[in-house]
Amino acid sequence: MKRKGLLLALFSALLVLLTGCNQLTVLDPKGPVAKTQSQVIIFSIVTMAFILLVVYTLYIYMLTKYRASKAAPDYEPPHVEGSKWLEITWITIPIIIVAVLSVVTVRSTSAVEKVPKGYEDQKPLVIYAASSNWKWHFSYPEEGIETVNYVNFPTNRPVEFRLYSYGPITSFWIPQLAGQKYAMSDMVNTLNIVAEHEGSYMGKNSNFSGEGFAHMEFEALAMAPSEYDKWVKEVKDTAPELTESEFDKLLETAHVGRQTYSSTHLDFRPAPEGENAGHNHGGENGSEEMDHSTMDHSTMDHSDMDMTEESSGHEAHN
C-alpha cells in the first residue's frame, strides 16, 4: 500500500511538472474568437473542479463519520426517515449546474459563429480553404491568388474561411485563433476569425482522415496590413498561374511542399456552394452519369413491364 501511494504521489508530481513545460495553445489566444473559447474552457474546468472538491469532501466526511465501530453484536441502528430538504437539494444543484453550463455554451457558440464584436463594420477577407489528401489549398478570390499548405492574412481584420474538401471529411483548426470546424465534400462551412497580434500560428487537420492526416499541418501567418498588401503584389508579379492540369496533378499528389500561384482553381473548379452544392467536383460528367443511370432504370422497367404483360397474356390464353 505504501509503495502504491508513493508511486501515485510521484506520478502526480511528474504530471504537474510536465504540464508547466509548454503552455497549451488553446489557452494562449491571439484573437477574440479563441479568447471566447478559452474563457469557456477555463470556466468549465473551474466549475468541474469545484464540483469534484465538494463531492470528495463529502465522501471523506461520510466515510469518517459513519465508519464501522466496535458496537455490540446485538446493536441495531435507529431507524431514520429520509429528509425532504436533502432530496430537494441534491436534485436542484445538478439542475442548476447543467443550466449554467448550457447557457454559457449556447451564448459562446452563438458568439463565435458571428464576426467578432468591434469588427462588424469591416469587410471580411474571404479565403476558401479546401483540403485534399493530404494538403490544404487556400484560394483568395478578391486578390486572385492561391497558396498550398500556408495561408497569410492581415491583422485586425475579420477573415472568413470557407471550408470544403476534395476527399474525406477533415477538420480545419488554428488553435490560437479559433476552434475547429469540419470541411466536407458537398457543402461549404464558414469559420470567422480575427488575429489581433502578428505572428506565425500552427494550423492543422484535427480529424483523422487517413494515413497522411498527421502531415496536414500548415502555417497561418498574421501580417501587418501593409506587409500583407506587399506580399499579395509580389505573388501576382512573380508566381505562375494555376492551370486545371496543374491543379489535378496537385490533387493526385499525396504530399507537396508550399506552393504559390497567381490565379485560383475557383475559375474552373468552383466550391460546392449555391448551384454547385451537393454536386462537388462532379460537374457535367456526374449529371451525365446520373442521366444514363436513370435511362437504364427506365429501360429496365419497360422491359420488365413487357415481360409481365406477355406472361399475363400467355396465362390468360392457357
Side-chain angles (χ1 to χ4, degrees):
M1 291 297 294
K2 291 183 178 181
R3 178 178 293 181
K4 290 183 179 180
L6 182 61
L7 289 175
L8 180 61
L10 181 61
F11 176 77
S12 301
L14 183 61
L15 183 63
V16 171
L17 290 175
L18 290 176
T19 54
C21 293
N22 187 19
Q23 186 175 13
L24 293 174
T25 54
V26 293
L27 300 181
D28 184 25
K30 299 299 181 182
V33 176
K35 185 176 182 181
T36 298
Q37 295 174 327
S38 175
Q39 290 173 345
V40 172
I41 292 173
I42 293 174
F43 175 78
S44 301
I45 291 175
V46 171
T47 302
M48 290 184 285
F50 176 74
I51 294 171
L52 287 176
L53 177 63
V54 173
V55 169
Y56 284 129
T57 301
L58 290 174
Y59 177 70
I60 295 172
Y61 172 76
M62 292 299 178
L63 287 180
T64 304
K65 182 176 181 179
Y66 297 103
R67 67 186 185 276
S69 60
K70 296 180 180 180
D74 58 345
Y75 172 76
E76 183 177 345
H79 179 73
V80 180
E81 295 289 341
S83 172
K84 176 181 67 176
W85 292 109
L86 279 178
E87 293 183 4
I88 293 175
T89 300
W90 61 54
I91 292 175
T92 303
I93 291 178
I95 293 175
I96 294 175
I97 293 171
V98 172
V100 170
L101 291 176
S102 299
V103 170
V104 171
T105 302
V106 170
R107 292 183 62 181
S108 61
T109 302
S110 177
V112 299
E113 287 295 323
K114 304 174 183 177
V115 176
K117 289 184 178 180
Y119 297 93
E120 300 93 342
D121 298 333
Q122 295 189 38
K123 181 182 178 181
L125 172 64
V126 176
I127 302 177
Y128 285 84
S131 64
S132 67
N133 291 345
W134 283 274
K135 66 196 79 67
W136 291 95
H137 310 259
F138 297 98
S139 304
Y140 300 70
E142 297 177 12
E143 288 80 357
I145 63 175
E146 183 161 329
T147 60
V148 179
N149 288 333
Y150 79 98
V151 59
N152 295 348
F153 44 81
T155 56
N156 297 306
R157 179 183 174 184
V159 179
E160 181 181 302
F161 283 104
R162 298 183 182 179
L163 315 172
Y164 61 101
S165 172
Y166 283 97
I169 296 176
T170 56
S171 179
F172 183 87
W173 189 27
I174 308 177
Q176 291 183 274
L177 296 178
Q180 69 86 27
K181 185 167 277 192
Y182 290 112
M184 295 175 277
S185 62
D186 285 337
M187 64 179 294
V188 171
N189 282 331
T190 302
L191 178 67
N192 295 293
I193 71 165
V194 174
E196 295 181 329
H197 304 274
E198 296 180 27
S200 175
Y201 307 111
M202 178 195 67
K204 62 187 300 183
N205 169 25
S206 62
N207 183 62
F208 181 76
S209 57
E211 61 179 358
F213 95 102
H215 301 286
M216 289 184 67
E217 295 185 352
F218 60 90
E219 180 189 21
L221 183 61
M223 314 167 69
S226 58
E227 293 296 323
Y228 174 78
D229 294 336
K230 186 184 301 183
W231 171 75
V232 170
K233 184 178 183 304
E234 181 182 353
V235 171
K236 289 182 176 180
D237 294 339
T238 61
E241 290 188 0
L242 178 60
T243 62
E244 188 169 3
S245 59
E246 175 68 17
F247 183 68
D248 290 337
K249 184 178 179 181
L250 281 174
L251 293 180
E252 294 174 359
T253 306
H255 303 284
V256 299
R258 293 190 176 197
Q259 306 289 337
T260 309
Y261 301 96
S262 58
S263 63
T264 75
H265 72 267
L266 299 174
D267 297 331
F268 48 82
R269 203 72 63 85
E273 57 185 351
E275 295 180 356
N276 298 310
H279 302 283
N280 187 20
H281 323 311
E284 296 179 359
N285 295 332
S287 300
E288 290 176 1
E289 292 175 2
M290 184 180 297
D291 292 339
H292 286 303
S293 176
T294 304
M295 290 175 61
D296 293 341
H297 282 295
S298 299
T299 305
M300 184 181 298
D301 293 340
H302 284 298
S303 176
D304 293 342
M305 183 174 65
D306 293 340
M307 292 177 64
T308 305
E309 289 178 353
E310 291 177 5
S311 299
S312 300
H314 285 299
E315 291 175 359
H317 180 72
N318 293 332

